[in-house]
Amino acid sequence: LKVNSNSVVFDIFFGLGYNSAAAIDTVKGPLTIYCFENDKEILSKILEMDADFESWSIIKNFVKGFLEDDIKVYSCDGVKLIMLFGDAREKIQSVNIKADFIFFDPFSPLKVPKLWDVDFLKDIRSKMNSKAKLSTYSCAKIVKGNFLKAGFNLEDGPIVGRDAPSTIAINP
């Protein structure tokens, strides 16, 4: 994904924050990232880690403020991070801004099919600008079918660490 300065990014299933850190490192300018997560235990792992991103201290400070003081908005060097903690299927409803790019990184469709269902994908699509892109590691047939049913156009994404390409879903 080509993320531009002043873009709005949704990092749905923030996890260890790698996608957000990569976006910050790539853009090197103003950027707003809405971080959807529901697991404080995984967030606490960030505080114990050092990752190879220029922006890792931004991610760590953001998560530290959230975990220790319930600070949900963190700004540093033109980057604004907003924590939307809880069930992403509910939290997506409360967002009143549209995304330019989405990182979509839930557990596999076999483990949590409800996070890949058509209704949730439609809700996500309704929060995307026209021509906005969503990237996900999954290339499962059912996942691609659900993206199509939700109204997305699809492209193969890069092949990273395996034989099959990731998926890029585009809001027409």
Side-chain angles (χ1 to χ4, degrees):
L1 289 179
K2 188 171 185 337
V3 181
N4 301 311
S5 187
N6 290 315
S7 291
V8 173
V9 175
F10 292 176
D11 189 345
I12 303 179
F13 308 105
F14 180 77
L16 295 173
Y18 287 173
N19 288 328
S20 289
I24 295 166
D25 284 4
T26 300
V27 171
K28 298 184 187 326
L31 182 65
T32 301
I33 304 175
Y34 288 78
C35 307
F36 296 75
E37 184 53 62
N38 73 344
D39 185 348
K40 287 188 177 180
E41 190 174 323
I42 193 84
L43 292 174
S44 69
K45 301 279 187 218
I46 293 170
L47 304 181
E48 303 165 12
M49 298 171 43
D50 284 315
D52 194 20
F53 293 100
E54 292 174 36
S55 62
W56 193 243
S57 64
I58 294 172
I59 298 295
K60 279 181 105 163
N61 289 334
F62 165 58
V63 170
K64 185 175 197 269
F66 173 70
L67 290 174
E68 293 179 3
D69 299 313
D70 199 36
I71 298 169
K72 293 180 176 72
V73 179
Y74 178 83
S75 294
C76 179
D77 297 332
V79 174
K80 184 176 183 181
L81 296 158
I82 301 161
M83 180 62 71
L84 296 165
F85 191 80
D87 187 330
R89 294 171 302 154
E90 294 170 10
K91 291 295 178 180
I92 196 73
Q93 307 292 335
S94 68
V95 178
N96 293 321
I97 193 166
K98 294 206 176 209
D100 300 302
F101 300 95
I102 295 182
F103 297 112
F104 190 69
D105 202 11
F107 286 113
S108 77
L110 290 175
K111 284 190 178 182
V112 283
K114 65 187 176 187
L115 299 179
W116 299 90
D117 74 21
V118 174
D119 289 336
F120 183 40
L121 297 177
K122 282 181 179 177
D123 288 342
I124 291 169
R125 186 172 158 247
S126 76
K127 302 295 182 168
M128 295 171 70
N129 285 315
S130 177
K131 307 297 182 210
K133 294 182 179 183
L134 175 151
S135 74
T136 184
Y137 65 88
S138 182
C139 62
K141 190 175 182 178
I142 190 163
V143 167
K144 287 184 169 191
N146 284 354
F147 275 118
L148 290 170
K149 288 176 190 170
F152 287 94
N153 295 330
L154 299 181
E155 292 178 1
D156 285 344
I159 298 172
V160 181
R162 60 187 184 172
D163 295 333
S166 54
T167 300
I168 306 293
I170 303 161
N171 188 25

